[in-house]
Amino acid sequence: KVIWSERKTERHKINDDWPGYSLDLFSYPAHYSGDLDCVIVPHGVIMDRTERLARNIMDDLGDHDIVVLCVLKGGYQFCADLVERIKALSRNSNHTIPMRVHFIRLRSYLNDQSTEDLHILGAEDLSFLAGKGIVGTGKTMETLLEHVKAFKPKMIKVAGLLVKRVQHSLASVPDYVGFEIPNRFVVGYALDYNEYFRDLNHICIISESGKKKYKV
């Protein structure tokens, strides 16, 4: 028996007063020196948590025919690692997940501010989703979910590596969550600030000087 409400409570919470890890403890591109405050989630921890999420998805959706909707660009690294771990589990399990991956792109940020102007690219015709299970990965999901529902998939589940604690937010919580983090602007692991920092393995908090340096 699958109880989705229990899955929604499973996440690693990072407190607001958590100072993060010192940058001196990790390797990161030298061209970002001075642009970051701290590492909030190291790459190794991301990998371990992603493997656990893959196992949860296998337990819940094993033997279903699913389509993974990867939200570009910020979600591509999480999606790639999650899919690889699901495939590895599927090869060594009695449950298998027939799986396809489709890529779409959402853009809603200017500098560090979310805007009302949201564009969806690559989602014009999703008729192949009819009757399938959907696992969406990425951010800014509310508008996308409404669009996807029009194609009548059998079910929709959302996997998100990060959920920010935003006071009075009415946004829905993904079914599979990696980390709950403070409401601060983070970069790395494919998350960007005006297209910079995607080449950073760890998830870090950008510094004020970094914001000024790369502001458009």
Side-chain angles (χ1 to χ4, degrees), residues 85-108:
R85 276 147 185 79
I86 292 174
K87 287 163 58 178
L89 290 170
S90 187
R91 288 193 298 266
N92 299 284
S93 171
N94 293 327
H95 294 288
T96 61
I97 296 185
M99 181 170 49
R100 287 185 288 166
V101 181
H102 185 76
F103 298 91
I104 55 179
R105 184 177 178 184
L106 303 181
R107 183 172 179 85
S108 63

Side-chain angles (χ1 to χ4, degrees), residues 22-24 26-39 184 187 193 196-197 200 204-214:
S22 170
L23 293 165
D24 295 336
F26 302 93
S27 297
Y28 65 96
H31 50 264
Y32 293 137
S33 179
D35 300 333
L36 304 166
D37 279 341
C38 65
V39 174
R184 301 186 65 183
V187 294
Y193 179 82
Y196 291 94
F197 300 101
L200 182 63
C204 301
I205 294 177
I206 188 173
S207 66
E208 289 303 316
S209 60
K211 290 179 184 180
K212 292 177 182 177
K213 180 177 178 180
Y214 299 110

Side-chain angles (χ1 to χ4, degrees), residues 143-155:
T143 301
L144 176 61
L145 287 175
E146 289 304 312
H147 183 76
V148 169
K149 287 175 183 176
F151 295 93
K152 296 179 170 40
K154 183 178 180 180
M155 70 177 74

Side-chain angles (χ1 to χ4, degrees), residues 6-143:
E6 289 186 0
R7 286 287 183 222
K8 285 177 178 285
T9 65
E10 295 178 1
R11 71 192 76 170
H12 179 78
K13 183 177 180 180
I14 299 175
N15 294 328
D16 290 342
D17 58 356
W18 164 241
Y21 297 97
S22 170
L23 293 165
D24 295 336
L25 297 174
F26 302 93
S27 297
Y28 65 96
H31 50 264
Y32 293 137
S33 179
D35 300 333
L36 304 166
D37 279 341
C38 65
V39 174
I40 191 168
V41 189
H43 184 257
V45 177
I46 298 171
M47 294 296 96
D48 286 349
R49 184 68 182 128
T50 301
E51 183 173 356
R52 179 65 210 196
L53 294 179
R55 192 174 299 277
N56 288 347
I57 292 171
M58 276 292 296
D59 290 343
D60 292 344
L61 301 181
D63 298 326
H64 282 279
D65 185 359
I66 70 170
V67 176
V68 177
L69 290 183
C70 177
V71 180
L72 299 174
K73 297 180 183 178
Y76 84 82
Q77 191 63 64
F78 172 55
C79 180
D81 289 332
L82 182 64
V83 166
E84 280 302 310
R85 276 147 185 79
I86 292 174
K87 287 163 58 178
L89 290 170
S90 187
R91 288 193 298 266
N92 299 284
S93 171
N94 293 327
H95 294 288
T96 61
I97 296 185
M99 181 170 49
R100 287 185 288 166
V101 181
H102 185 76
F103 298 91
I104 55 179
R105 184 177 178 184
L106 303 181
R107 183 172 179 85
S108 63
Y109 271 89
L110 178 64
N111 296 318
D112 62 343
Q113 299 298 313
S114 181
T115 69
E116 296 296 325
D117 189 16
L118 178 65
H119 299 280
I120 306 177
L121 304 175
E124 294 82 5
D125 182 12
L126 298 177
S127 56
F128 60 87
L129 299 180
K132 298 292 193 297
I134 310 299
V135 176
T137 65
K139 59 183 181 178
T140 322
M141 296 297 297
E142 294 293 331
T143 301

